[in-house]
Amino acid sequence: MTLSLYKDTPTYPPLTGRTITDAEGRKVVIPENFKGIIPIMNFHLSVFLEKTHSPEFLAKAGSPKSRHDYIFSPWRRDLMDWVFPMVLRDDSLWDFPSDLESILAYDQEGYIYLANFFYLGQIRHDDIHTRLGLNTISYYPRSTYPRRPTSEEIEESTQIMATVLNDLIGQKDMAEVYMADYWKDLDDLAFELDLKSLESHPRVLHVFSSATDWTYVSFSGNHNERLGLNDSSKGRRALGREQDAERILFIDPDIIFTNDAIKFIKDPRWQGLKAVKEQTVYSGPRFNPWENDSNFYPLSLRYTAEAVYPERMAPKLRNMLREKFEKNYGYLLKNYEIDYILNLKDMSHSPFLIKRFGHIDDSNINEPIMSNSDARN
């Protein structure tokens, strides 16, 4: 084993077929006997479905364990399992391994993997798939920024992802069709919000904690430039992972978004905060938290804008959700599904948000799951 480390990196015969350029500028060959896409991770699967609307190009979706995790992820839901239930129901798609050794054993000529990195233990290897002869493609431009990306960089990378993934399956022109609503939503937001004419900008803070332990809290004041919100936490962050409660009390923001608003407002530490007194503590929606989600990135900005600038923004979010999924996927969201996405059950303390985002149907607001066939019809 020690001597094997001195061997040269193996070389593999070149593939023949259609060539495309991936998000990192690499030339990737789509072989003539192309058999389909293998996402490796649930994250890649969601991105592929969201950006291409083409589940028929999946050769495999993952392992039995990843299938379970995809359905019952406790911390987020990207809704692709609602729109493409056939992916979850097809047992033949969920028998592919997730460890590198088994992937190499099950690999077939004609597979293309959506994964340009792999973890071995705690070490990330960015080129290991290529070194081992797996045909992989990078759909995400590797960031070179030593900071949080700007809104312009986020939106540009989202467009690149859609272009690369659709080019991969031979429908490059469809990227513009699928991204049209994305850009329209952003343009409509900018027009309606009209940042240049805003005279006041509320101080907004995001506060996070474990769902089971609120002893330690962290916060962030960074906001997308499209919303015109200043970083209310600037200069007041601790250097460690956890932020002490006194810093939040010192900032005393106008509005707080947190992962559990009801627990937050009942915590005795926060009773003196302006946002608690004025009931402007919000849990936020159950949107996919990844900024490059072309479904929910514009809608998450819309959610924040409607909550922060109610006098400026019309209450359109509920209808926009329904129209987006009906137009893009042919899927008609039910009222209780929209209630779930907007997290209205955790907004019961805020009459303002309930009125703005719609009514709650308490009898049906529970999370739809795979076994609920009515939610799939």
Side-chain angles (χ1 to χ4, degrees), residues 40-55:
I40 297 294
M41 296 164 55
N42 287 342
F43 175 72
H44 301 311
L45 172 61
S46 296
V47 171
F48 177 75
L49 293 175
E50 167 214 332
K51 296 290 191 296
T52 68
H53 305 196
S54 299

Side-chain angles (χ1 to χ4, degrees), residues 89 92 106 121 139 141 165 309:
R89 291 176 176 175
S92 67
Y106 280 78
Y139 60 82
L165 289 173
Y309 305 108

Side-chain angles (χ1 to χ4, degrees), residues 103-240:
I103 290 172
L104 290 169
Y106 280 78
D107 181 43
Q108 295 184 27
E109 186 178 345
Y111 284 168
I112 295 183
Y113 298 88
L114 298 183
N116 59 319
F117 65 88
F118 205 92
Y119 280 100
L120 291 179
Q122 299 298 315
I123 302 175
R124 170 172 165 155
H125 297 269
D126 287 318
D127 63 345
I128 196 167
H129 294 80
T130 303
R131 290 173 58 193
L132 294 174
L134 296 175
N135 195 14
T136 65
I137 188 168
S138 172
Y139 60 82
Y140 184 74
R142 189 174 300 178
S143 175
T144 58
Y145 306 104
R147 50 171 170 74
R148 187 178 184 275
T150 65
S151 59
E152 183 177 349
E153 292 160 355
I154 291 168
E155 293 152 16
E156 180 183 0
S157 63
T158 303
Q159 178 70 60
I160 291 172
M161 292 165 64
T163 301
V164 169
L165 289 173
N166 281 282
D167 193 13
L168 167 60
I169 59 177
Q171 57 177 37
K172 187 175 182 179
D173 291 344
M174 293 305 296
E176 300 305 319
V177 176
Y178 297 146
M179 290 293 291
D181 277 352
Y182 174 89
W183 293 112
K184 182 180 183 302
D185 289 343
L186 291 176
D187 289 343
D188 289 349
L189 174 69
F191 177 80
E192 191 172 350
L193 190 53
D194 190 14
L195 287 179
K196 292 182 180 179
S197 66
L198 278 174
E199 296 181 358
S200 63
H201 301 265
R203 298 167 59 254
V204 180
L205 196 68
H206 287 262
V207 180
F208 312 95
S209 184
S210 165
T212 58
D213 183 6
W214 275 80
T215 305
Y216 298 103
V217 291
S218 60
F219 60 81
S220 170
N222 290 327
H223 287 281
N224 188 288
E225 295 88 344
R226 284 184 174 273
L227 298 176
L229 297 173
N230 299 320
D231 186 356
S232 58
S233 66
K234 190 174 182 180
R236 298 181 177 91
R237 295 183 188 142
L239 296 178

